Structure formats: C-alpha cells, structure tokens
Amino acid sequence: MRVESINNSNLHNINKIDSTFIVESKLKLKFSEGKFSHEIESVSPYKKTYEYEHPDYSTYIDNETRTVFFAFEKKKLVGQIVLLKYWNGYGYINDIRVKDELRGKGIGKALMQKAIEWAKGNNCIGVEVETQNINVKASMFYEKLRFTLGGVDMFRYKNSQKEKDEIALNWYLLF
C-alpha cells in the first residue's frame, strides 16, 4: 500500500470513495467520575450516508494548515483522510474513508498513522476526530488506536438527520 499527499495529479480522487454503511447498533453512553464508557445496543438496521461540503481541495495542496492523504493499493484508490490544523491546537480529522470491502485490512490504520505524523510535524497537541454514536465500527476503531472519548454533543444533529437521536462523539489522541 502507498499513502501519498494530495497534489495536482491526484486531486481528482477526492471523495471518490463511498462512505455509506449499514447501522446495526449504537453506543449507549455513560459518564461517571469524569470518564465516558459505553455499551453497544442493537438497532433496526438502516443505511447511513454522510453529506459533505465541497471546499476547493486544490487549496489543500502544499498547505501547512490542511491536507489530504490518499491510500492506494497498486494504482487503485482505497482510502483517504482529510486533515485540518484546528483552531484549538489539534490536528482535526475532517473525514476518513476506506473502501467498504477493504475495511479491517489496515488501510484506515495506515491513514491514521499518517495523520498523527502530520499533526506532530505541524506542532499539534494531539488529534481529534468526530463521529456519531451510530457509527460503532468507527468508534471501536478509534478506541483501538488509543483515542479517548472526550466530548459528546447531543444536539448537533437534531435538525439535520433523519435519525434525530444521533449523538456526536469527539475522540482525542493527545501527544
């Protein structure tokens, strides 16, 4: 596998990977003694597709405050991660995608390692990523990479989602 930074010759690959997944469970959260914990609760399955903004990604090329990394197997695009140097000193993962049929094969981990390397190289204090309580696989992935659930927003998606009970989860890896 090869991971490369966004440039003029690969810019056309941005957001070519479908991020749709089937929701089969959600995290039931608890907060005690200053820490979050969770249980996994089954839900009736449904399809989840993310809606994204479409900034001018050409401005991410050779930019110290934002970038994109693409993962390729041979010449085939298999993953991407979009990063921003956030106002709060974190490297913020704005988006991470891996081809559905290749999830669990180390591509996401390689992209996350590249994101951590980028954040450290840009003097960030850590890495932050947001997902929802209905994206259990992503949450378990972040936990496995030693991220800590550090924030919850119960109202972020109240007006924008068909499923109004989604809860935003902010995961952090401090350096």
Side-chain angles (χ1 to χ4, degrees):
M1 179 184 24
R2 183 179 85 257
V3 177
E4 61 183 54
S5 299
I6 192 169
N7 58 54
N8 286 318
S9 64
N10 65 22
L11 177 61
H12 67 277
N13 288 306
I14 196 72
N15 297 334
K16 296 293 185 196
I17 296 173
D18 184 14
S19 59
T20 301
F21 65 100
I22 302 299
V23 175
E24 299 176 314
S25 57
K26 67 179 180 178
L27 296 182
K28 185 176 178 183
L29 303 170
K30 295 180 182 179
F31 187 75
S32 178
E33 298 181 23
K35 292 186 178 183
F36 290 99
S37 63
H38 56 78
E39 296 174 359
I40 298 174
E41 181 178 276
S42 294
V43 299
S44 296
Y46 63 94
K47 189 183 287 190
K48 171 72 177 181
T49 301
Y50 290 107
E51 299 295 326
Y52 294 99
E53 295 177 6
H54 299 283
D56 178 2
Y57 284 103
S58 68
T59 65
Y60 286 56
I61 297 170
D62 298 323
N63 189 321
E64 291 182 7
T65 64
R66 62 190 69 200
T67 194
V68 178
F69 292 104
F70 297 109
F72 296 92
E73 285 284 345
K74 298 178 182 171
K75 293 185 178 187
K76 182 180 177 187
L77 177 68
V78 295
Q80 81 172 33
I81 191 165
V82 178
L83 299 157
L84 308 169
K85 187 170 182 180
Y86 222 38
W87 63 270
N88 59 5
Y90 286 92
Y92 183 75
I93 298 168
N94 195 46
D95 182 36
I96 180 170
R97 303 178 187 199
V98 173
K99 282 191 107 34
D100 186 41
E101 66 272 14
L102 298 173
R103 292 177 187 161
K105 307 236 185 266
I107 297 164
K109 184 176 180 180
L111 287 167
M112 291 296 280
Q113 288 171 338
K114 195 70 172 171
I116 291 165
E117 178 184 301
W118 179 85
K120 286 180 176 179
N122 282 284
N123 300 312
C124 295
I125 62 171
V127 177
E128 176 186 356
V129 63
E130 184 264 328
T131 192
Q132 302 79 38
N133 65 320
I134 53 88
N135 198 340
V136 173
K137 288 181 182 177
S139 292
M140 298 300 95
F141 173 66
Y142 302 135
E143 263 191 346
K144 187 176 180 180
L145 293 176
R146 304 181 67 136
F147 279 65
T148 300
L149 180 57
V152 171
D153 186 339
M154 296 175 16
F155 302 112
R156 183 174 300 169
Y157 298 109
K158 287 292 182 200
N159 194 37
S160 63
Q161 303 294 318
K162 292 177 189 172
E163 301 295 326
K164 303 285 188 199
D165 64 343
E166 287 185 19
I167 298 171
L169 307 178
N170 291 84
W171 295 89
Y172 296 87
L173 179 68
L174 301 173
F175 302 145

